[in-house]
Amino acid sequence: MQLRLDKYLADMGIGTRSEVKQYIRKKLIQVNGQLPCGPEQKVVPGQDHIIFQGKEIIYLDYEYFMFHKPQGCVCATMDPKYPTVLDYITEKNRKDLFPVGRLDLDTEGLLLITNDGALSHNLLAPGRHVPKTYYARVEGNVTQEDVKCFQDGVDIGEKRNTLPAQLHILSSIQQPPDTENWISEIQLTLTEGKYHQVKRMFEAVGKKVLYLKRISMGKLKLDDSLQPGDYRRLTEEEIYLLKNHFERRRL
Ligand code: URA
């Protein structure tokens, strides 16, 4: 694949197309140790060595970040009111990154940020049934009856009941003791992603989600060492696991 030099540099976030043209004119860019003929010079990613301010600029087609979304930011690329999840990803090269799916403003946890549209489609397409696991603190006494309801599917006001979901009760205690105020901790695995689905499923059984955090998506697990607001690049193995999820299912 050949690219214009100015596109190569702009894609890698060095500046806008007109800014990088200026850099080329000011002789701040080298291609294979030489000054380029101009912004239109063709270069081959992975073969030509492009240097800007003494640093080699490696072309990346795709970037993949694991982000521990904190509360108070939105899963969008722009927002007039709240910070977006992309505002947190300061060390990015690509300008075309987006969050894969949505978590509510007050939901925390695992969010994949990439510019790989095919992977995003595979992870979100309703027919793919990629499991997403959430941890929640719930007001109310979550019981085995709820486990069965969620397994059978509940009515959340959509055309169809929810698909079978696996509910695990981690704890359910009265707070303060000997009162009717129960707080439960649970893990819930869904294979679909309707708007506010976890909250609406608990509402359907008369309970309220107080805190919600996504802990895994397909084979990708939230890295415990990431605090809310932190991010890191996915490892090669994690990218492979996510992509391979679909390859294996097709066999
Ligand atoms: N379900 C919800 O209710 N909210 C989320 O953010 C994700 C799943």
Side-chain angles (χ1 to χ4, degrees), residues 5 30 57 66-67 79 87-88 94 139 149 158 188 192 200 211 213 222 229 243:
L5 178 60
Q30 287 190 356
I57 310 299
M66 177 188 291
F67 178 46
D79 191 85
D87 294 334
Y88 286 81
R94 304 280 328 187
E139 192 175 69
C149 278
E158 299 276 336
L188 178 63
E192 55 185 343
R200 287 160 74 199
Y211 170 80
K213 174 178 176 181
L222 179 64
K243 292 187 174 174

Side-chain angles (χ1 to χ4, degrees), residues 188-224:
L188 178 63
T189 302
L190 306 179
T191 54
E192 55 185 343
K194 300 252 160 36
Y195 181 64
H196 290 336
Q197 181 156 347
V198 176
K199 293 172 185 163
R200 287 160 74 199
M201 286 176 74
F202 277 102
E203 269 165 31
V205 294
K207 284 149 195 135
K208 185 170 178 216
V209 171
L210 300 174
Y211 170 80
L212 186 60
K213 174 178 176 181
R214 182 157 64 196
I215 53 178
S216 71
M217 189 171 182
K219 297 224 167 75
L220 189 65
K221 296 200 181 353
L222 179 64
D223 184 333
D224 285 342

